[in-house]
Amino acid sequence: MGSSVSAGVGALALAGYLYRHRESPGVPWFVASFVAVSVWCLAYGIALFVVDLPLRAHLTALWMLGSIWTGPLFLLFALAYTGRTAIVRSRRGAALLSVPAMGTVLLLTHGFHSLLWTEFRLAPVFGLSTASYTLQPIAYVILVFTLLSAGLAVVLLVETVVNYGPLYRGEAIALALSVVPPAAGSLPWLFGFGPYPQLNLSPALFVLHLTLDGYAFVEKDMFDTNPTTRRAAER
């Protein structure tokens, strides 16, 4: 719970710090993605201590709401940061947001249907109020989409940073590794394997993700370097 809440607060702090770079390519999307991370981590951390079943279901919908926006927003940031702004402004960019938008509608109305999950119940582990439920196909589509979006974003960023040259090798490694902790925490929960599949460790592991992103984008001031300008100069 402490790690989840710390990650949520850290995500908000990082978003606030980087807002000063809002004129740089993609930064508004980057800030928005970390606001989504904050909602995800804070809601999940609080939910671990809620035993009232209806309220627990609402908090589950809230943390899922943050999770489904994290990947697509991060991908839009990666596209804009790496000089692919035409895609962001096109119908393809809008299509990236259509999936989380659909998920948002379903999550906000989860009490009136069973399209996302069924058999919602409490299944405590380690004294925490974890919940167990059966995800429905449309939920898998939405959740896998956000994972794939985040993965593609990391590939685009690493490819661009590697092209900076050896000077940015450390940043490339940090970005490549940043997606591993939250993905590793989500997969057992998403696909129901391991001893405690009802426990989603992604919110807690986002602390590592934020540390790596903070190193790449804050410590090394990567927003002071414009990949689009550099690529044009090299051509």
Side-chain angles (χ1 to χ4, degrees):
M1 184 269 188
S3 296
S4 295
V5 172
S6 297
V9 173
L12 278 180
L14 184 58
Y17 178 82
L18 293 176
Y19 185 72
R20 66 192 181 96
H21 292 285
R22 58 190 176 277
E23 301 301 326
S24 299
V27 171
W29 295 113
F30 190 76
V31 170
S33 72
F34 277 101
V35 171
V37 168
S38 181
V39 171
W40 179 359
C41 295
L42 289 174
Y44 191 82
I46 294 171
L48 292 176
F49 288 90
V50 174
V51 296
D52 179 74
L53 195 60
L55 180 56
R56 184 65 174 78
H58 289 318
L59 286 170
T60 296
L62 182 60
W63 76 253
M64 280 193 186
L65 182 64
S67 73
I68 65 173
W69 281 99
T70 299
L73 290 172
F74 194 55
L75 177 55
L76 288 172
F77 153 68
L79 289 168
Y81 180 78
T82 58
R84 298 171 173 88
T85 52
I87 297 177
V88 176
R89 296 170 181 169
S90 69
R91 292 181 179 178
R92 287 177 290 177
L96 286 174
L97 298 180
S98 64
V99 175
M102 175 184 65
T104 298
V105 173
L106 293 175
L107 286 167
L108 292 177
T109 59
H110 74 91
F112 302 99
H113 58 76
S114 300
L115 296 174
L116 293 175
W117 61 67
T118 59
E119 304 173 42
F120 192 96
R121 63 193 184 279
L122 293 180
V125 293
F126 306 121
L128 300 172
S129 182
T130 49
S132 179
Y133 37 87
T134 302
L135 290 173
Q136 299 303 293
I138 193 168
Y140 279 107
V141 170
I142 296 169
L143 292 166
V144 169
F145 179 80
T146 197
L147 285 174
L148 293 177
S149 298
L152 178 57
V154 170
V155 170
L156 293 174
L157 290 169
V158 169
E159 181 269 336
T160 299
V161 175
V162 167
N163 286 338
Y164 282 161
L167 180 63
Y168 291 93
R169 188 170 296 153
E171 289 84 333
I173 294 172
L175 288 172
L177 293 176
S178 69
V179 73
V180 175
S186 279
L187 293 177
W189 168 83
L190 184 59
F191 296 107
F193 62 87
Y196 306 106
Q198 68 268 48
L199 184 62
N200 190 330
L201 293 176
S202 274
L205 293 175
F206 257 110
V207 171
L208 299 175
H209 175 83
L210 294 171
T211 301
L212 292 167
D213 274 0
Y215 167 78
F217 290 105
V218 178
E219 179 69 19
K220 296 300 182 179
D221 296 320
M222 282 181 61
F223 285 122
D224 292 335
T225 304
N226 191 323
T228 307
T229 303
R230 181 186 178 96
R231 200 176 318 185
E234 288 174 348
R235 291 198 187 102

